Amino acid sequence: MAIPAEPIYKHAVNEARGEARLVIDGVELVLAAEMGRLSAVSSRLQCKSLNDLFMRLSGVEAAATLAGIELLTVKGNALEAITKIKLKHFTACAAAFSTILAHHFEDDEGNVGAVGETA
C-alpha cells in the first residue's frame, strides 16, 4: 500500500506573523490578519466590534467568508479561490480565520523578529 505524499505547497507560511494556509479546491492561499486588512473586512461587513467581526468570520457566514478570503489573502489568487469555493470549504475557512485572528490575542513576546517581515 502506497503512503500518500504530503501536499507540496508553493507559499511559505510565517506563523510567527500570524499567517495561516487555506486551500480551496486546489487553490493555495496564505491569509494574515493585518490591522489594515481587518479594518477593510470590518468596514465591508459593517461590523460594530472586533467580537462581531470574529463571530461573523468564524461563523461560516457566506458574505463574511468571501470578504475574508478576498481581503485577508496575502499570497495566492483569492479571486480564483472565490470562484471555486463550495459550502464544503467553509469549515476550513472558519478554521483559518480563527487561527489568524487568535494571533492578535496571543502574547506578542517572541514575535519581535516577525514584525519586520512582509508578505
Side-chain angles (χ1 to χ4, degrees):
M1 176 190 283
I3 298 173
E6 289 290 319
I8 299 173
Y9 296 117
K10 301 185 288 188
H11 303 296
V13 174
N14 184 346
E15 293 175 2
R17 197 173 85 86
E19 295 178 351
R21 183 179 323 281
L22 174 62
V23 180
I24 297 173
D25 202 25
V27 179
E28 178 192 357
L29 306 174
V30 176
L31 308 178
E34 299 166 343
M35 290 310 294
R37 292 174 183 278
L38 287 174
S39 177
V41 175
S42 180
S43 293
R44 179 171 300 171
L45 299 174
Q46 299 179 349
C47 294
K48 302 298 181 204
S49 67
L50 184 58
N51 186 56
D52 184 24
L53 178 62
F54 179 83
M55 295 303 294
R56 292 185 70 185
L57 286 172
S58 62
V60 296
E61 179 185 325
T65 299
L66 296 181
I69 291 169
E70 178 185 347
L71 299 169
L72 299 174
T73 296
V74 295
K75 296 176 190 168
N77 189 334
L79 294 179
E80 181 182 2
I82 288 170
T83 64
K84 293 183 172 192
I85 196 166
K86 294 181 171 61
L87 289 177
K88 68 180 183 179
H89 299 115
F90 278 49
T91 302
C93 293
F97 295 145
S98 293
T99 297
I100 63 175
L101 289 168
H103 176 73
H104 285 283
F105 298 103
E106 294 174 354
D107 185 12
D108 286 338
E109 190 175 318
N111 289 339
V112 175
V115 171
E117 295 184 28
T118 59

